[in-house]
């Protein structure tokens, strides 16, 4: 990954976190790292946790194609480790969103994209 792509990804993650915050969500973690992998943004709203994967590309379609089954599994596993670290019950209400960012910086959120 080039340095430019790395910084573009960071910028996309920050933009998504700001979008959720503007909608009334509390951002509880950004770039959360665990032994299972990284979760780009973790937010809370009305006692529900949102684990958000951010993908940036030229188009929303190309960004969406960048999320594979193995990565989805790693995100789910990382979320369980987050619950454990925060001493939250496994029954915690949660959702996994995919936030797509295109070349113009527009954001499209796909709720419940990861099952």
């Amino acid at each position: 990954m080039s340095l430019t792509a790395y910084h573009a990804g960071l910028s996309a993650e920050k933009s998504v976190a700001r979008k959720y915050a503007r909608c009334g969500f509390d951002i509880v973690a950004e770039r959360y790292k665990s032994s299972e992998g990284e979760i780009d943004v973790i937010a809370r709203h009305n006692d529900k946790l949102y684990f958000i994967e951010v993908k940036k590309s030229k188009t929303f379609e190309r960004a969406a194609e960048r999320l594979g089954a193995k990565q989805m599994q790693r995100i789910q596993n990382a979320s369980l480790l987050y619950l454990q670290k925060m001493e939250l019950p496994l029954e915690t209400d949660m959702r996994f969103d995919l936030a797509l960012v295109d070349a113009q910086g527009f954001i499209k959120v796909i709720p419940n994209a990861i099952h």
Side-chain angles (χ1 to χ4, degrees), residues 32-113:
Y32 172 77
K33 291 177 178 54
S34 76
S35 60
E36 287 293 326
E38 181 179 297
I39 300 172
D40 295 329
V41 180
I42 303 173
R44 180 183 292 280
H45 188 261
N46 295 335
D47 294 326
K48 186 178 212 174
L49 280 177
Y50 294 76
F51 297 94
I52 305 146
E53 176 64 16
V54 179
K55 291 295 183 188
K56 181 178 182 356
S57 194
K58 290 180 182 178
T59 66
F60 291 140
E61 293 77 21
R62 287 181 70 178
E65 291 170 355
R66 298 183 61 223
L67 180 65
K70 285 184 181 180
Q71 187 176 19
M72 286 189 249
Q73 187 61 54
R74 283 195 306 269
I75 292 165
Q76 289 174 323
N77 291 343
S79 70
L80 294 176
L81 290 175
Y82 177 82
L83 293 178
Q84 184 179 37
K85 179 181 177 183
M86 303 309 289
E87 299 181 356
L88 296 169
L90 290 176
E91 298 80 23
T92 298
D93 195 11
M94 56 186 147
R95 187 172 94 184
F96 297 88
D97 291 354
L98 176 60
L100 308 172
V101 182
D102 70 8
Q104 290 76 40
F106 292 107
I107 299 169
K108 177 180 180 181
V109 174
I110 302 172
N112 293 310

Side-chain angles (χ1 to χ4, degrees), residues 9-23:
L10 285 178
S11 178
E13 291 170 10
K14 290 285 186 190
S15 294
V16 167
R18 284 192 303 269
K19 177 181 176 72
Y20 275 81
R22 281 192 310 270
C23 292

